[in-house]
Amino acid sequence: MNTFATRIATVATPTVNDATPTTPAIWWYHGNKPAKTPGVFYVKGTALQQEPTEPWVPSQRFEHEVGFETRTLHLALITWRQQPYHVVEIVSGGEKRKDRRYLAAWEPGAQIHTEIVCLAEGITEPVVWSFHGMTGRAVMGKTGLFNAYRNGLLREAEQIAGKRLPLWTFWLPLSTLVNAKHQVVYTDTGHGSLVTLPMLALPEAANQTLMDDLFVGEAWVTYGYEVRAQFEDWRHQRRGLNGHTNGHGHPNGHGADVIEEPLADEDAPR
């Protein structure tokens, strides 16, 4: 006769997060040239409802924080929003730190904060990829990976399908920018630091083969429309204009916000 112990041993029981649900944020953290490390995607463990699977691995980046990271990641992009801001210094507890002053409209000297709702490989819930500075230009600039995808693979797929296709039709393989010798590229910010920018790492394959390999599948396309509808209000929400507000503001069915990401060296005022 089967006992509870033998029966439960056959059931996968991944660790889950019983805290108040939020929309998890993922970040792109830059590598280190002396250590010859690439950039990585990072997610805070306590932000997830369930521990991520491959390609995510436990991260030792922060001593007192459970996190996960991966050097390469497949993302399906759902929708996005952007807002200009100025970097300012504020005094808190007698110490100075950088913060953002968000603007209603772009003005000279402002930077752009971008957030993209994504489906991420290895994570069971939608995430928000939040970035700015040089990472923002690498992703959303005129020659960035976002436009490269829309004007390349996605447009070619639409011609084959004979109709408009959603942004999330394909998984986008992203990793650190490398040169022709597949060596990590370290880009000077002009402010005394180096960054490792993300790149769209499409394999060298015929377009039809590439579409077959990266197609998210019928079920994921349908699910993407559901996620897109959930974030409709979020797309139009903007942060307050009187200093910092932690207001990504997507309720995710529970009224919880996404966690704000830290300012890095690349975000010094231009």
Side-chain angles (χ1 to χ4, degrees):
M1 182 176 66
N2 289 333
T3 65
F4 167 75
T6 56
R7 293 172 65 185
I8 196 66
T10 66
V11 180
T13 54
T15 301
V16 296
N17 176 21
D18 290 327
T20 302
T22 63
T23 303
I26 61 173
W27 299 289
W28 176 259
Y29 281 144
H30 300 292
N32 180 274
K33 187 174 183 179
K36 298 181 179 180
T37 56
V40 299
F41 282 98
Y42 178 86
V43 64
K44 191 174 181 179
T46 53
L48 300 172
Q49 292 304 300
Q50 184 171 306
E51 186 173 300
T53 58
E54 292 184 0
W56 299 92
V57 296
S59 174
Q60 306 301 320
R61 182 171 296 269
F62 301 109
E63 183 178 356
H64 301 295
E65 178 176 296
V66 176
F68 299 87
E69 63 183 57
T70 177
R71 295 185 174 190
T72 61
L73 183 64
H74 284 71
L75 292 177
L77 312 181
I78 305 294
T79 189
W80 75 96
R81 70 181 183 184
Q82 295 180 306
Q83 187 170 356
Y85 68 94
H86 285 302
V87 177
V88 297
E89 279 193 348
I90 64 173
V91 178
S92 177
E95 297 183 355
K96 290 183 178 180
R97 65 179 176 87
K98 295 177 182 177
D99 209 336
R100 297 188 184 92
R101 179 173 63 84
Y102 286 98
L103 308 170
W106 188 87
E107 59 186 45
Q111 299 185 57
I112 299 295
H113 183 189
T114 302
E115 299 160 290
I116 304 182
V117 178
C118 310
L119 304 178
E121 178 185 18
I123 295 179
T124 59
E125 55 198 301
V127 300
V128 173
W129 182 14
S130 184
F131 51 82
H132 39 72
M134 294 184 71
T135 300
R137 290 192 286 278
V139 178
M140 302 298 288
K142 291 182 179 179
T143 60
L145 64 88
F146 185 85
N147 283 329
Y149 165 60
R150 287 207 303 184
N151 298 329
L153 179 62
L154 186 60
R155 179 171 294 177
E156 293 171 7
E158 289 176 334
Q159 293 173 349
I160 292 174
K163 60 182 179 181
R164 288 288 300 275
L165 297 174
L167 192 61
W168 56 91
T169 299
F170 297 101
W171 292 109
L172 303 188
L174 303 180
S175 64
T176 295
L177 179 65
V178 296
N179 59 24
K181 296 182 179 180
H182 299 286
Q183 299 169 325
V184 176
V185 174
Y186 298 90
T187 303
D188 192 339
T189 65
H191 300 284
S193 61
L194 300 174
V195 294
T196 49
L197 300 175
M199 65 173 287
L200 182 59
L202 292 176
E204 297 179 1
N207 285 356
Q208 186 59 60
T209 301
L210 193 60
M211 291 179 192
D212 291 338
D213 290 344
L214 297 180
F215 179 45
V216 298
E218 296 86 344
W220 282 103
V221 169
T222 300
Y223 177 59
Y225 281 109
E226 296 177 8
V227 174
R228 174 64 175 74
Q230 292 171 12
F231 281 82
E232 180 59 30
D233 291 340
W234 173 91
R235 293 177 63 241
H236 304 288
Q237 292 172 354
R238 295 295 181 268
R239 291 171 177 76
L241 305 178
N242 297 313
H244 174 82
T245 59
N246 185 12
H248 294 246
H250 171 59
N252 196 22
H254 302 276
D257 290 341
V258 184
I259 299 171
E260 181 66 275
E261 89 276 21
L263 290 171
D265 289 342
E266 66 169 287
D267 301 295
R270 297 290 190 262

